[in-house]
């Protein structure tokens, strides 16, 4: 359900801010860093005891759990998979790189939130991690590394210093990265769903349904992208 909220917020953000992002991307980079700082303070200072519960449900958790950043990445990837002549692509293609950088920066908030626990645990008390946690951590390293590479090369100044062919090949890393992101999400969700149907499980029906719906939505969104991307690849090949 959080991903649905994040998608809605991301669509609204892009719709209302696309002009401002194009003119002043640096402002949004600073805002993204501010979000990271706030999430860090939220965790360190236990601000969940101060703010109303709805602020966590609809705002904090969307950034904290990486849903908003994932929603932005979905928009970025779909822009590249849709017809270049469509109105949506023409309107958003000029800010696609900026959106990618913003999504990468906001992802750092999620990385801090969960890395602050999992990385020390992996080093000091690895026995506390279950198989799901270990696999998720293994996938996280290439995910994080590729994301940083894509973010750095998305800056215009860096892009101009690279040969066009080299830059294009580097950006193609986004395809395996997006696939890894889906695998990572399924590693987190599917075991939880399986465990929830254990007779000994105390998980409420609301959360069971929530996890199932989340898996279905992620599968539809990511599956839809890969279908569109393969279709576009074939069409481009025919045109050439």
């Amino acid at each position: 359900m959080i991903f649905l909220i994040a998608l809605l917020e991301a669509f609204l953000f892009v719709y209302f801010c696309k002009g401002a992002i194009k003119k002043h991307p640096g402002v949004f980079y600073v805002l993204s860093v501010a979000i990271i700082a706030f999430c860090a303070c939220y965790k360190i200072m236990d601000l969940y005891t101060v703010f109303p519960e709805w602020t966590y449900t609809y705002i904090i958790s969307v950034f904290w759990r990486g849903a908003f950043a994932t929603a932005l990445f979905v928009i970025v990837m779909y822009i590249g998979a849709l017809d270049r002549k469509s109105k949506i692509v023409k309107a958003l293609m000029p800010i696609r790189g900026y959106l990618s950088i913003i999504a990468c920066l906001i992802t750092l908030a999620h990385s801090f939130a969960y890395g602050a626990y999992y990385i020390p645990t992996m080093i000091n008390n690895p026995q506390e991690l279950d198989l799901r946690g270990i696999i998720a951590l293994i996938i996280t390293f290439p995910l994080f590394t590729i994301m940083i590479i894509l973010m750095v090369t998305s800056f215009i100044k860096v892009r101009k210093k690279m040969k066009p062919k080299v830059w294009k090949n580097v950006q193609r890393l986004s395809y395996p990265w997006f696939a890894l992101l889906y695998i990572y999400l399924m590693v987190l969700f599917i075991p939880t769903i399986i465990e929830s149907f254990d007779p000994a499980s105390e998980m409420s029906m609301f959360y069971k349904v929530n996890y199932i719906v989340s898996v279905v939505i992620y599968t539809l969104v990511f599956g839809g992208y890969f279908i569109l991307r393969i279709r576009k690849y074939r069409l481009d090949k025919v045109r050439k």
Side-chain angles (χ1 to χ4, degrees), residues 139-151:
I139 297 173
T140 296
F141 288 111
L143 268 177
F144 189 81
T145 303
I146 295 172
M147 185 191 76
I148 295 299
I149 293 171
L150 292 173
M151 180 179 72

Side-chain angles (χ1 to χ4, degrees), residues 132 182-197 211 215 219:
R132 173 180 57 182
Y182 175 75
I183 295 170
Y184 172 78
L185 291 167
M186 293 305 103
V187 167
L188 295 178
F189 280 101
I190 291 179
T192 304
I193 293 173
I194 295 172
E195 291 169 6
S196 70
F197 285 98
Y211 281 114
V215 167
T219 301

Side-chain angles (χ1 to χ4, degrees), residues 154-224:
S154 291
F155 284 98
I156 294 176
K157 289 184 178 180
V158 176
R159 178 177 179 176
K160 287 181 178 179
K161 293 181 180 180
M162 298 176 67
K163 293 181 179 179
K165 189 175 181 180
V166 173
W167 182 85
K168 192 172 183 179
N169 287 333
V170 170
Q171 290 299 306
R172 283 175 179 161
L173 288 171
S174 62
Y175 304 138
W177 183 87
F178 207 53
L180 271 176
L181 179 58
Y182 175 75
I183 295 170
Y184 172 78
L185 291 167
M186 293 305 103
V187 167
L188 295 178
F189 280 101
I190 291 179
T192 304
I193 293 173
I194 295 172
E195 291 169 6
S196 70
F197 285 98
D198 188 310
S201 174
E202 296 181 357
M203 184 181 294
S204 67
M205 183 56 66
F206 172 81
Y207 285 105
K208 289 180 182 179
V209 172
N210 181 46
Y211 281 114
I212 294 171
V213 170
S214 295
V215 167
V216 171
I217 292 170
Y218 277 121
T219 301
L220 289 174
V221 170
F222 280 71

Side-chain angles (χ1 to χ4, degrees), residues 59-126:
I59 301 175
I60 305 300
S61 67
V62 171
F63 295 101
W64 190 265
R65 298 176 66 177
F68 186 81
T70 301
L72 282 182
F73 282 127
V74 166
I75 293 173
V76 169
M77 299 302 287
Y78 266 84
I79 292 171
L82 296 172
D83 187 349
R84 294 187 185 92
K85 296 180 181 179
S86 68
K87 291 182 179 180
I88 295 176
V89 173
K90 286 182 178 179
L92 299 182
M93 186 59 80
I95 65 169
R96 189 187 181 203
Y98 302 143
L99 291 175
S100 177
I101 294 170
I102 292 168
C104 289
L105 289 172
I106 294 175
T107 300
L108 294 178
H110 171 72
S111 300
F112 170 83
Y114 287 86
Y117 167 75
Y118 281 102
I119 292 177
T121 301
M122 180 183 67
I123 295 172
N124 301 319
N125 301 297

